[in-house]
Amino acid sequence: MSLELKPSVEEKTSIEASSDKGSTDIQETNRGGSPEGEKVNLTNNVNAKIQNPLYGIPHDKLLQQVDEFAEENDMQEILPLLRKGALLAQNPSNPQSIQELDADDLATIQREITHKWHQPKDLYLTVLLCSVAAAVQGWDQTGSNGANLSFPKAFGIESIPGTPDAMKNEWLVGLVNAAPYIAASLIGCWCTDPLNFYLGRRGAIFVTASFCLISVIGSAFAQNWYQLFVCRCLLGLGMGAKASTVPVFAAENTPAAIRGGLVMSWQMWTAFGIFLGFCANLILFQVGSIAWRLQLGSAFIPTVPLVIGIYFCPESPRWLMKKGRYQEAYKSFKRLRNSELQAARDLYYVYRQLNAEHEAIGGKTYFHRFFELFSVPRIRRATLASFVVMISQQMCGINIIAFYSSTIFIEAGYTTKSALLASFGFGLVNWVFAFPAVWTIDSFGRRNLLLFTFPNMAWTLLAAGFSFFIPDGNPARVPCIALFIFLFAAFYSPGGGPVPYTYSAEVFPLTHREVGMSWAVATNLFWASVLSLTFPRLLRSFTPTGAFGFYAALNMVAFTMIYFLMPETKQRTLEELDYVFAVTTNKHIAYQTKVYLPYFVKRWVLFRKNTTLKPLYNFDEVESITVFEKGSGH
């Protein structure tokens, strides 16, 4: 994995676990229940220490615990590998000091660092299928974008200014467009936990993809607006649980060094699905009265390979371990890692961290886990952070373009064909500019990407809105509106696009990962439903300029929330994040206000190059081999 021990006498004596009032210190215990020594408190990490769960265990004691683990789980046949793996998990930054490792073992570990993108085909198959699932999500979202130009007329709910039913019809069109997001946020997302509990990650994806397949075909055959509404509600049931499961599935299967780059493929390929949806809208708009039916129904195309292919992927080893199926988890890890040594290392490391999580956090039933999202301090901070990033994605205004770009371009004076072409261009920009995030999300960081892109999205939206003041007939009007909308998409794609789902998939402990991701995605899709429902009326009441200005202001509100309430998670293993989110919110806010902000002003406003930044997190006891700079994550 990615942890370095530096057990000096001073460090050992300075590790003190602090607790909230009324809580007790959390100690790591072995299977027999005896404490290994004082550990960092997983609910109130006041010293911001990141700690290895194997920290401070003597060599012989660790090997004895490995032997007990192998015996309890009938894994004696791989005991030598488990022993090597445990020693490596305890001290991965200095494998040369581990006498049990031979030259081949050392070469394998070195290659993990120097060739981090060289991964097994089964890992990339998993990422590929998760990307297809994301493309389904994007295509499902944009089928209605082109259909909005014709289905209201087909169902007699067209909004014609000055007619008695104009306002009512605007709300009905908004309701049909919002239906998937209403159903997803109120029901679909909350089915994630039981679906995952009983069916596993793969089974949950299969069921939700089946819902997406059947519902879009049903939408194509709808005979009135309320039949279309029902079909789109069924679509939302699949979208919500799928969006809650797929990023978690990807996050649990990928190594920490490249987790951000691979998990963010959810949003990158959602953007690709949006682009494909715009392509379908453009191709099909001239086929006559059934154009909207084909535009909605075409989303079945990427769903078919997802339904068929998901069971060719290995199941999440962390989910299998949660179920106590350690032998199957090891087989899954072997398919997802380059060597059996790496598989054994990750198996034992995750096993020990799961023990610590269960002791500190609990979460026995669905309702217990849900209430613990808000009652257990470590989880509550993850819940707050995921809420911030997910609602920020809607506050930025991207979906006023994704859902209604064709309508907006018609308002700007485009013909139907030109509006669809402009929407196609938006989809292309949205997808192409997602690629930089693959390389920056694990180096520049999740938080920094958002803090850079949100102010830029604000000014581009504002500029697009002001471009509507250019008089009709002026040749600059149409190009200016399109230019600033495309620039907005270019800033959104590497930041507000990939980060929220990547971030939310990794911040919750395994015990609460399904229900936590349900909360995060429900937050995102609920506000997507609000946006989708209200925008037709908002556009009419505020005019395009007012609507764009409103969302420009929301971008800056989101920027402020991200700055104070979102901890950095880049290049931390899923298990190390327990310690990051044990740092109190007050400590995080105080650091951003009193330490980082003065540093930023001195360094980048006053250009004092000798200014140094005191890091927020204390890596004295453990340093990930994936961290590029000590103390990262401010």
Side-chain angles (χ1 to χ4, degrees), residues 63-82:
L63 294 184
Q64 178 186 340
Q65 293 174 355
V66 174
D67 293 347
E68 293 171 358
F69 167 76
E71 183 177 354
E72 289 173 8
N73 295 283
D74 195 21
M75 302 181 75
Q76 292 93 334
E77 71 277 6
I78 63 164
L79 182 57
L81 278 172
L82 286 172

Side-chain angles (χ1 to χ4, degrees), residues 136-196:
V136 171
Q137 197 87 351
W139 203 325
D140 286 336
Q141 291 178 17
T142 49
S144 62
N145 189 300
N148 283 334
L149 301 180
S150 52
F151 89 79
K153 184 176 181 179
F155 290 152
I157 55 173
E158 189 177 14
S159 177
I160 302 174
T163 59
D165 292 332
M167 184 182 297
K168 171 189 170 184
N169 290 343
E170 286 169 356
W171 284 109
L172 287 177
V173 171
L175 181 65
V176 170
N177 281 307
Y181 310 101
I182 295 172
S185 60
L186 297 182
I187 302 174
C189 291
W190 302 108
C191 294
T192 304
D193 190 287
L195 282 173
N196 278 266

